[in-house]
Amino acid sequence: MGGTPSNGGATGSAGSATPGGAGGGGAGTAAGGISGTAGSAGGSSNLVTNGTFDTAAKDPWWGYANNTTDNPADETLAVSNGQLCATMAMGGKNVWDVLIGLSGLALLPNQYYHISFSVSADANRTIKFKTGLGVAPYTDYFVESVPITATAQKVDYTYLNLRNDPMAQFQFQIGKTPGMVCVDNIVIEPVPTPVMPSYKTAAPSGHPLKDYSGVVKMGTAVDTPIFLSNPLHNAIVAGEFSMITPANSMKMNLIQPAQGTFDFTDTDALVSWAQTNGLEFRGHPLIWHTQAPDWLVNGTFDRDQMIAAMYAHIDALMGRYAGKFLYWDVVNEAIDNASGAWTFRKTIWHDRIGDDFMDLAFTHAHAADPKAKLAYNDYNIEQKGNPKADKVFELVKDLKTRGIPIDAIGFQGHYYVEPDGTTASGVPDMQAIRDNMARFAEIGVEVQITECDFRIGKPLDDTKTKLQSKFFADLLQVCIDAPNCSRFTVWGLSDLDSWVPSTFPEYDYAHLFDTQLMPKPDYFAVSQVFAQYDPNGTPTTGSAGSSGSSAGSSSSAGSSASSSAGSSASSSAGASASSSSSSSSGGCSLAPRRNGTRPWLLAALAMLGVLVSRRRSKTACQ
Ligand code: XIL
């Protein structure tokens, strides 16, 4: 057919590169993409018409090239040797600037599909394929990168379609590099729910991370439908982690796409999966200026109307999941630097409501679900002494002092090493994080690491890999040692489904699992930190704590002076903290534990049973 796609989908698809699209997702064959699926390729259930190209006809397949002056693209589409081949003299700027597409697929709600095809190119290149696209808010699609070569390879995936989508498209996104791409034997067929493969941890201790939930609960961020589509991915999340956070599905543009119209499809699917598999679910986020819907950003709202919109959003989300979520990020990223001063960020929420928007958000959230624990979440606030961190501490302290219901602070924990290997800006001072956690304990506020990743500036090398492992191990140890830190979430399971490359193009490799969903050195470093403890939380040896972790011992180069100062500061903070905190945190003691820098002290405390009781107190925070 050629020409512009009938469904207007070409631009729509690229433009609709909704947040979830950044990540990859379903693993290919190497990562065990499908398992337990039924149906045979090319069978009568195949939704694809003319996917084998046995005649010269290419209909109903179409081609599209987004040809612009700045980024010219073209495409010639023809059946050749029984395959559909696209030739590009110019590839445009992005992979989605040149497409091979099929329109009008009827995808059913809550239905798994088996997708397979064979693909080759005249030279090595990476393409993407994508399905879904038909129904707003366009989160319900599957997109995956596939490296291809001159040798035709068969690709197999499963995809869970959540919404009724009678006019979905299927696309191969093949732009960017000029050349030729050929596809053949294309199958999209409904299949029964794939069986999640049984999971065995690679941890030398034999214990997956989740076995240490009494020490610290490990979580990961997940995205629909990518997450739900891939059985191996799901098996790892269920096998290793104690909690999940939705990476995008609860962002306001997706969950309230029109004023008063809520779309809980993706979040409900994730919640249901978490419940079935026994994982805690973190609500994220309620009030945030980013990924806000157009109706809110572009509309005219005075203070009262904006407060009403805020309350309606909080009520709808917290009402739906009341009693199901323990923690909610009520306000996200509200502090910014304006002309050198740290103050409220200029956002739709702050500017239209005023400085009390956080007071109102937290107070209303508490009324909506009085049992939920309420958090403020932000980045670059992990280290005491960092001006933004100090500002946020003052803000939270002020909220507490005035009786505004806030229980927890989320340290996002997005860190990095520069492409040239320099570490001055992206690698944290662990002692400063310990000190920050301790001061929050003093005011009765829990701390959680909510979005941790350590992205590596390309190219990857051994030094950077080691630094990453050390970083994860150190930060986990800091959280373990702080009595008010009970949860540590990594922002995405793997380098396959990472948000990093599309957000920070110079960086990648930020996660604990690789693109094949295999554990990386940083996973083993994290696992090794936990292996210092019995799953019930008791240290197995007197070496538990930062002194016992090779990573921990050198956590903050050159900070030995502050390290001793820090440990005494946190222990002296202890006594008063526990009393002031018990009422605000549901009786869970926030008394700082020893920070692990003195093995002899640790052994003595363990003998006295102090450590065990404090470990239990952290468990009681859950
Ligand atoms: C990110 C998602 O992971 C991406 O897929 C999306 O494109 C942008 O948002 N701080 C937050 C998270 O609080 O919600 C953000 O998540 C990362 C930064």
Side-chain angles (χ1 to χ4, degrees), residues 19-20 22-23 223 247-248 251 284-285 288 291 332-333 377 379 412 414 451 491 499 503:
D223 238 353
N248 285 293
K251 308 282 174 72
H284 167 85
W288 192 29
Q291 292 177 262
N332 202 28
E333 302 179 353
N377 193 48
Y379 59 90
Q412 289 187 3
H414 297 293
E451 302 186 13
W491 201 245
W499 73 300
T503 314

Side-chain angles (χ1 to χ4, degrees), residues 538-559:
T538 313
T540 49
T541 68
S543 66
S546 61
S547 60
S549 133
S550 59
S553 58
S554 52
S555 63
S556 44
S559 71

Side-chain angles (χ1 to χ4, degrees), residues 32-361:
I34 64 168
S35 159
T37 53
S40 59
S44 57
S45 58
N46 187 3
L47 304 185
V48 175
T49 314
N50 187 23
T52 55
F53 310 105
D54 290 337
T55 68
K58 60 185 184 208
D59 287 353
W61 291 87
W62 44 255
Y64 173 79
N66 182 29
N67 187 20
T68 63
T69 315
D70 288 347
N71 297 295
D74 66 11
E75 181 188 41
T76 308
L77 196 61
V79 173
S80 156
N81 297 326
Q83 309 180 85
L84 184 62
C85 295
T87 310
M88 294 158 277
M90 296 170 294
K93 189 180 175 200
N94 308 294
V95 281
W96 58 78
D97 284 332
V98 184
L99 304 175
I100 302 172
L102 180 68
S103 297
L105 297 175
L107 299 183
L108 300 170
N110 297 310
Q111 176 64 55
Y112 276 88
Y113 292 91
H114 168 218
I115 298 174
S116 74
F117 50 85
S118 74
V119 60
S120 61
D122 54 351
N124 294 1
R125 62 191 293 145
T126 297
I127 65 162
K128 288 186 174 182
F129 73 91
K130 181 170 182 175
T131 191
L133 307 179
V135 180
Y138 307 108
T139 55
D140 194 6
Y141 62 78
F142 186 82
V143 61
E144 182 54 59
S145 292
V146 190
I148 58 175
T149 65
T151 309
Q153 58 175 306
K154 189 170 182 238
V155 173
D156 267 304
Y157 289 84
T158 44
Y159 160 60
L160 172 61
N161 185 68
L162 290 173
R163 295 174 180 77
N164 189 32
D165 198 351
M167 292 297 288
Q169 284 187 13
F170 181 79
Q171 301 175 349
F172 294 99
Q173 304 181 342
I174 58 172
K176 215 166 168 173
T177 315
M180 180 189 262
V181 172
C182 297
V183 294
D184 199 3
N185 298 324
I186 303 159
V187 174
I188 303 174
E189 59 187 352
V191 288
T193 301
V195 176
M196 202 161 73
S198 60
Y199 180 74
K200 189 168 180 317
T201 185
S205 65
H207 290 291
L209 308 180
K210 73 173 184 186
D211 278 5
Y212 300 93
S213 64
V215 180
V216 159
K217 278 194 171 182
M218 288 295 290
T220 187
V222 296
D223 238 353
T224 51
I226 294 157
F227 165 52
L228 295 168
S229 291
N230 184 323
L232 179 59
H233 187 288
N234 300 355
I236 299 173
V237 175
E240 290 284 352
F241 293 89
S242 311
M243 58 185 287
I244 55 174
T245 305
N248 285 293
S249 74
M250 301 192 82
K251 308 282 174 72
M252 195 174 180
N253 59 339
L254 302 179
I255 207 161
Q256 195 184 166
Q259 187 167 17
T261 303
F262 293 86
D263 184 342
F264 294 110
T265 313
D266 296 74
T267 306
D268 281 357
L270 288 176
V271 171
S272 151
W273 186 91
Q275 281 184 327
T276 304
N277 292 283
L279 279 82
E280 185 177 306
F281 198 102
R282 182 186 176 84
H284 167 85
L286 287 170
I287 303 303
W288 192 29
H289 58 286
T290 302
Q291 292 177 262
D294 288 348
W295 64 264
L296 187 68
V297 174
N298 301 330
T300 308
F301 293 84
D302 65 19
R303 172 179 158 91
D304 288 347
Q305 289 166 325
M306 201 66 189
I307 291 172
M310 173 195 267
Y311 288 176
H313 191 69
I314 291 173
D315 287 341
L317 273 61
M318 293 192 84
R320 187 169 186 91
Y321 302 114
K324 289 188 175 169
F325 297 3
L326 189 52
Y327 289 90
W328 284 89
D329 287 327
V330 177
V331 176
N332 202 28
E333 302 179 353
I335 295 298
D336 195 14
N337 192 295
S339 313
W342 291 95
T343 182
F344 282 118
R345 184 189 296 273
K346 290 188 69 59
T347 69
I348 48 172
W349 297 109
H350 170 267
D351 297 354
R352 293 175 188 172
I353 295 176
D355 281 357
D356 60 349
F357 85 99
M358 279 185 60
D359 297 10
L360 299 173

